[in-house]
Structures are given as structure tokens and as C-alpha cells.
């Protein structure tokens, strides 16, 4: 495996730092650009990408990925990059890699919310195929409601407290959706009558933006809907989900993919035992069949 450092320039002039890995033994058969999920993720997506990258390199596929804005050596701030901006960043990353390895079939791989950028970039980046890894088919607001309810149920609270916490979370999501300012929301959360519910939500690891910058970022994405990107897909799409994912509503998401993507373009797998990272919970091992499903799909495109 050889590695080359890359720099891409985003549409607004921000510099993005990344790497391009290529197989040593032979000329690459294809190029895949990988994009991570929510948060300040680097080019390795916190350790998720390296074993996936290794499997692709074994198949003769070159791989590139970049630090998100404000992470590692990239400029800017991930808190100022909504899905449209991430889509443009991914498109710029692909162009930088193609300048080094021109003429290859090119795929996009997006993990979780990063899959929305991969779907939206399929046209602008002239992708030949797309892979969505645990990418929700619902909005962030619906996804977080699902996650929060699942985690609250695991706390073993009395039903009244669970209902109270769920209702409080729903109110917060509507405030985000309505563009409520962080100052207004903070005042609302300071009401003593909500302290118990907010404490229960914290115990459930609910997505409660803790500062103004994060609150303002979530406002920009909370109602993002990938439906138009899914309807617009004109290349083969692989959608991979873990059967034990407690972050994404897998059944609802899979149904949405099946509804919006032409059947001849969609390959969808729900892998038993896989969590949100498609791993067996509590281990670094991928769910059985995950890497095979990934490499088989890519191989069939070449």
C-alpha cells in the first residue's frame, strides 16, 4: 500500500487535508472517496475507515478520505458545514484524487449522515456508484427521536418519567426546527420543572446541543431530508445497515430507500448483529458478511 497526502480546495476557498491510498502490487481498478458521519471526524472516521479501506485495497481499489473542516489539518469549522457544504467538500476531494489517478471508475462511500453528502454528490462528482453505510432514510429530527426513545427505554424508568422525557425532547426538536435561538432555548431548559426530564435525557445520551455553536449547526440540519437525493440517484447504490443499530431506524430507512430508489439500482443489506458501525457490539469485528457485501458490490461495478 502506498499513501500520498492530498489537499483539496473547497468552493469557498477552505483548504481540506486528506490522503490517497493505492494498492502496491497492481494499478488501481477503481477509486473510492470516503466521507465520515456527524461531528469532528478525521480522515479515519475515528478508526472505522482503516479496516474497510484495507479490504478495498486488497481488491485493487484506491481510497481517499479527508479530515472534515476544522479537524486535523483541514481549515474552517465542521460546525459551519451543513450537508450542502459537505457535499461540495466531498466533490472537491474527489476532484483532487482524480487529478492524481485519472480515468478510474469512481465510487462514493458515506458513513451515517456522511451518506447524505455521498448521495447528493453523486451527480456533481460524476460518481459511478455510491455506498451508504448506516445512512438514515429519515430526517435528523426523526432519527434522534428514535434514538432517544430507544435509549430512554433502556434506562428502566417509570412510564410517567419516560413519557415526560420523550415529550421534553420532542419540544426541543421543534424548537430547533423552528429556529429558536440558543439563548431562548437555554432559558426554557433552565425552568426547574424540566430539570428531571433533562437529567433523564442526559442519562439516555440524547442529542442536546450544549453550546451556541453546536445549537446553531443543528438548526441547519435538523430537518434535512435525503429524499430528493435518493430520487435523483442514477447509478448503482449499496445501502448497508446493522440489524442491531440503535441510532438509525433501520426498518423505516430501508423502506424509504426501497420506495425512492429504482429497484434495478438498489442493493440493500441489513446485517444481523451489526451496530451503527456495522460491528458486533462491544467488539471491533464487523457483522458477518459485511466486508463481503461491500467488496462484492464494488467488484461487480468494475
Amino acid at each position: 500500500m502506498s499513501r500520498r497526502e492530498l489537499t483539496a480546495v473547497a468552493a469557498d476557498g477552505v483548504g481540506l487535508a486528506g490522503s490517497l491510498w493505492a494498492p502496491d502490487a497492481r494499478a488501481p481498478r477503481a477509486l473510492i472517496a470516503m466521507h465520515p458521519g456527524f461531528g469532528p471526524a478525521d480522515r479515519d472516521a475515528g478508526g472505522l475507515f482503516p479496516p474497510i479501506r484495507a479490504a478495498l485495497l486488497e481488491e485493487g481499489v484506491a481510497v481517499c478520505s479527508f479530515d472534515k473542516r476544522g479537524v486535523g489539518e483541514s481549515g474552517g469549522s465542521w460546525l459551519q458545514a451543513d450537508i450542502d457544504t459537505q457535499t461540495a467538500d466531498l466533490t472537491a476531494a474527489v476532484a483532487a484524487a482524480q487529478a492524481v489517478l485519472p480515468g478510474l471508475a469512481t465510487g462514493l462511500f458515506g458513513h451515517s449522515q456522511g451518506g447524505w453528502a455521498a448521495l447528493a454528490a453523486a451527480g456533481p462528482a460524476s460518481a459511478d456508484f455510491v455506498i451508504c453505510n448506516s445512512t438514515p432514510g429519515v430526517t435528523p429530527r426523526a432519527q434522534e427521536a428514535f434514538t432517544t426513545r430507544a435509549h430512554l427505554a433502556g434506562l428502566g424508568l417509570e412510564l410517567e418519567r419516560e413519557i415526560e422525557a420523550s415529550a421534553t425532547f420532542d419540544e426541543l426538536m421543534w424548537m430547533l426546527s423552528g429556529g429558536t435561538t440558543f439563548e431562548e432555548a437555554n432559558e426554557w431548559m433552565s425552568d426547574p420543572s424540566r430539570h428531571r426530564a433533562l437529567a433523564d435525557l442526559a442519562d439516555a445520551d440524547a442529542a442536546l446541543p450544549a453550546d451556541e455553536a453546536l445549537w446553531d449547526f443543528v438548526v441547519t440540519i435538523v430537518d434535512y431530508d435525503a429524499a430528493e437525493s435518493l430520487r435523483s440517484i442514477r447509478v448503482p447504490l449499496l445501502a448497508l445497515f446493522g440489524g442491531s443499530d440503535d441510532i438509525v431506524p433501520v426498518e423505516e430507512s430501508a423502506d424509504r430507500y426501497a420506495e425512492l430508489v429504482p429497484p434495478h439500482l438498489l442493493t440493500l443489506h441489513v446485517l444481523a448483529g451489526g451496530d451503527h458501525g456495522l460491528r458486533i457490539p462491544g467488539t471491533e469485528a464487523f457483522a458477518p458478511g459485511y466486508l463481503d457485501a461491500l467488496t462484492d458490490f464494488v467488484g461487480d461495478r468494475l
Side-chain angles (χ1 to χ4, degrees):
M1 174 188 73
S2 63
R3 172 173 172 169
R4 173 175 179 156
E5 300 309 296
L6 292 179
T7 299
V9 179
D12 59 0
V14 171
L16 305 171
S19 300
L20 174 64
W21 293 264
D24 280 332
R26 49 181 161 159
R29 304 166 62 203
L31 168 67
I32 290 181
M34 304 182 76
H35 190 68
F38 176 82
D42 64 8
R43 68 194 74 183
D44 288 336
L48 176 64
F49 284 177
I52 300 172
R53 184 167 64 228
L56 292 169
L57 286 165
E58 281 289 322
E59 297 297 316
V61 177
V63 180
C64 76
S65 57
F66 283 70
D67 300 330
K68 289 178 77 171
R69 292 180 177 224
V71 180
E73 300 172 44
S74 290
S77 169
W78 70 271
L79 289 167
Q80 296 175 356
D82 60 11
I83 304 302
D84 289 342
T85 301
Q86 292 182 54
T87 298
D89 289 354
L90 178 56
T91 303
V94 170
Q98 288 176 329
V100 178
L101 294 175
L104 296 177
T106 299
L108 305 179
F109 177 108
H111 173 64
S112 193
Q113 292 183 14
W116 295 337
L119 288 166
S126 299
D128 296 289
F129 57 90
V130 177
I131 300 165
C132 287
N133 201 64
S134 296
T135 298
V138 299
T139 65
R141 180 150 58 91
Q143 175 197 344
E144 293 299 340
F146 167 84
T147 304
T148 298
R149 282 168 171 73
H151 289 180
L152 282 170
L155 293 179
L157 300 172
E158 294 178 358
L159 181 59
E160 179 185 352
R161 285 184 66 168
E162 187 176 329
I163 292 172
E164 178 188 26
S166 292
T168 299
F169 184 79
D170 287 343
E171 286 189 69
L172 275 168
M173 290 296 103
W174 280 112
M175 292 167 73
L176 283 159
S177 184
T180 299
T181 67
F182 178 73
E183 183 179 359
E184 293 167 335
N186 204 36
E187 182 178 351
W188 182 87
M189 288 187 284
S190 297
D191 189 319
S193 68
R194 300 187 177 94
H195 287 179
R196 184 176 74 171
L198 290 168
D200 289 338
L201 288 171
D203 289 342
D205 199 26
L208 304 176
D211 57 57
E212 187 171 11
L214 183 56
W215 179 274
D216 289 347
F217 173 72
V218 175
V219 166
T220 69
I221 69 167
V222 68
D223 287 314
Y224 180 83
D225 193 339
E228 187 56 38
S229 293
L230 287 166
R231 287 192 192 97
S232 300
I233 282 293
R234 297 293 182 267
V235 296
L237 169 63
L238 172 63
L240 296 163
F241 294 99
S244 297
D245 191 342
D246 64 354
I247 293 177
V248 169
V250 171
E251 184 175 352
E252 186 178 355
S253 293
D255 287 347
R256 199 105 188 277
Y257 278 71
E259 173 191 353
L260 298 175
V261 180
H264 69 283
L265 294 177
L266 179 63
T267 302
L268 190 149
H269 295 291
V270 178
L271 298 166
D275 62 12
H276 190 59
L278 277 300
R279 291 183 167 122
I280 301 299
T283 78
E284 295 298 311
F286 287 113
Y290 170 69
L291 290 177
D292 287 340
L294 177 64
T295 56
D296 287 350
F297 174 83
V298 174
D300 289 344
R301 310 280 80 78
L302 306 181

